[in-house]
Amino acid sequence: MNREELHSFIKSSLAGKELIIVTNREPYVHRRKSGRIVVDRSAGGVATALDDILALTGGIWLAWGSGDADRETVDEDDTVMVPPDRPAYRLKRVWLQKKIAENYYNGFSNRVLWPLCHISLDRVYYRRRYWEDYIKANFTFTNAISAIVNDNSLVWLHDYHLCMVPGMLRERFPDLTVAHFWHIPWPDWDVFRAAPQAMNILEGLLGNDLIGFQIPLFVKNFLECVDEALDAEVDYENSTITYRGRKTFLSAFPISVDFEKFNHLSSAPETERSIRRLRRKYNLPAMVGLGVDRLEYTKGLLKRLQALNLFFEKYEKFRGRFTFIQIAVPTRLQEPYLSYQKSVETLISRIQKRFGRDDWTPILYISRKLDQKELVAFYRMADLTIISSLYDGMNLVAKEYVASQTDSSGALILSGLAGAAEELEGAIRVNPYDIENFADSINIALRMPREEKRIRMQMLRKQISDNDIHYWITDVLRSILSISGIKSAGCEYAFDRMDRILKRLARRKPFFFLDYDGTLSPIVDTPDEATLPPRMKRLLRELSRNYPVTIITGRTLDDIRKRVGIKNIIYAGNHGAEIWENGQTAHIQQPEQELFLIREVLEKLTESLSDIKGVYVEDKGITVSIHYRNVWTKDISEVFSRFWSIMKGYEGRFRVTSGKKVFEIRPFAVWNKGDAVKWILRKHGKGFLPVYIGDDVTDEDAYSVLRKRGITLHVGPNSKSDYYLEDIDDVYRFLSEITSLRRNRS
Ligand code: ADQ
């Protein structure tokens, strides 16, 4: 999904909601520099993408005010409008006393949770005051959040600095939607049980409605930790945990980079010039390798250097022909980082001494932060890049390198222990602890035929361009919104409430209303291909022998009747505008005036969208559907803008709903699914209990009509229905349970 689509999605979905992002570090820091106040902007891809979202939606970002001029730049609510050049949202700063900040950040966060989650147990250093101040800092964050939330807030927390905030918030606001993204790994129970305060941390996190991890392995590890440590109901299949009567959803959302931005920077003529300049400046040989890291022990720099040492020893012919460039920015300037930096630099000097020559450097060490343009020039120039993480949540360098490889000439050597390895097919996988094999892999990468490198890199590039940072944000927000929808509508998972449903069904016979696409038949690329799975057809037959059944759909009557092909069923087509029963049309609407207008819109849309590949304009008589499931991602924003510019001319005349990759246009006067349900029930429904299952926004009209009168179920969350089902398999299971009940009774 590209930036425009993301923005379009977010604008419509977040309408009426307020997004509150909470992080330890601020997106903008005010500092004093030579007597003046300057603003530093966080350059990281994740921070930039989140900043974009808030600029669009006007939410709030809450973070620790750590800059020395931060206090001078806020108003009485500790708030400053950002971005500084085009103020669009509020940055609210949280103040922490120096001693508390030190123990919370450098202490419990970085000396306990960080090494623990990276399975570096001997580096865990715990003091009781770290924990006490971590709690205090989390409490201060909670107070600041409490002061700004309301019924429409969606709180999105980030990372391991804020474990206790969800639990604290939950005590104060039982109904607030709270989600958390965990950027680093989550280890398994054997490791996590070493955490002082393990139970408190888990309990704190279970205050969330949703916890996002980088990869499924971390989700599994978290589920197991909770299973071992707490008396909770752990559902491994659906990745949910119910603890003290509350449900937390877990999911993997692999984070990514702004593919377009790196791709664009890398293809700029300026980058070519920078590459030439860098080659001259550092007197580089024909082949270069690259490492870009914070000077961080989890990134495995020592293992990488040991492997390089072995590589130069074993593969002599690369001496003088290959230089490895290590760009390492010092981080967290404290122990154990200072010692680690020293070990890295000592090893580099040793390799230099052993192999270096006057005219050639085996390892070029650049120890500073680079700006993005400079970084991209290195990425583009490198014949290979090495990621040697000993454990890593994801590793964005791997993805940035791939996004910058516009000519697909480089190779990625990737540690199997980085989260990125779960996703990226096409990389040369290494185990950083096996330095023999690691050294051989460097040789393999350098000797790899150009064509193989190209194929591998193109595979990698496709994976990242399809799943970039915009996609990630959309995915997480979609889940947060879904959960918020379930909560605000009080919609529960049907199988958690089967006893209640069956009790109602024991009193009255059901009258089924079933949507077709996405409910009985899987959603497919083109509507024509949607067929009813044979087992579902068998079940429908049995159902219709025992109970009244209506199939209610956006398809035309002819189409749906052919597709289902069962006789003793009522069919409602065109979202309820046409009804068929007992072998004939029982109701049809074709108001003259509307018919004329809809023809006009149909013509305009067909003409305007005809040159965009994959758009399917479906003429349904009195209504029109525009399907864009098969449109290339890059063209979707064009479809949106052309569609809306035409529909603007018909404001107030038509109702436009947006479903699963489809817009539906219908005149206001034309019946919707709710009207059709009312009509059918009036005619045939006396004494029955209506049971409606749908999956589309157009089904919401029926849910409203049946509120308190029947049972409504929606496939997927975020609906006004009484209950939700996860997918079509759930629909099958649900209907089967009801039919087997009947079988058992008789
Ligand atoms: P990190 O471990 O900090 O964060 P990582 O994924 O390794 O993040 O990315 C490092 C970032 O810093 C990259 O964007 C890179 O360009 C930049 N960087 C590194 N050295 C640099 C230099 N010398 N100059 C300029 N920029 C430099 C955590 C987790 C990761 C997870 C991220 C995002 O540890 O596993 O991928 O969050 O969720």
Side-chain angles (χ1 to χ4, degrees), residues 43-46 114 118 159-160 181-185 214 255-257 262 292-296 298-299 327-330 332 366-372 375 379 389 391-398 400 419 472:
V46 181
W114 176 273
H118 287 89
D159 238 349
Y160 57 100
F181 186 75
W182 193 260
H183 290 256
I184 64 176
Q214 301 274 20
I255 204 163
S256 193
V257 297
F262 281 92
V292 177
D293 311 80
R294 287 189 296 110
L295 245 167
E296 163 60 63
T298 60
K299 305 290 177 189
I327 302 170
V329 54
R332 299 180 187 170
I366 301 175
S367 168
R368 66 181 167 87
K369 192 166 173 141
L370 267 51
D371 74 28
Q372 215 154 47
L375 195 60
Y379 282 145
S389 309
Y391 211 24
D392 213 337
M394 178 54 57
N395 196 295
L396 295 180
V397 172
E400 290 170 4
W472 178 77

Side-chain angles (χ1 to χ4, degrees), residues 171-214:
E171 275 181 16
R172 300 181 193 184
F173 306 100
D175 298 327
L176 181 68
T177 302
V178 186
H180 208 130
F181 186 75
W182 193 260
H183 290 256
I184 64 176
W186 191 279
D188 65 20
W189 173 241
D190 254 355
V191 173
F192 192 73
R193 71 200 174 111
Q197 318 297 348
M199 293 213 342
N200 291 326
I201 294 165
L202 293 171
E203 281 187 332
L205 285 168
L206 289 178
N208 280 299
D209 295 301
L210 169 72
I211 312 177
F213 293 93
Q214 301 274 20

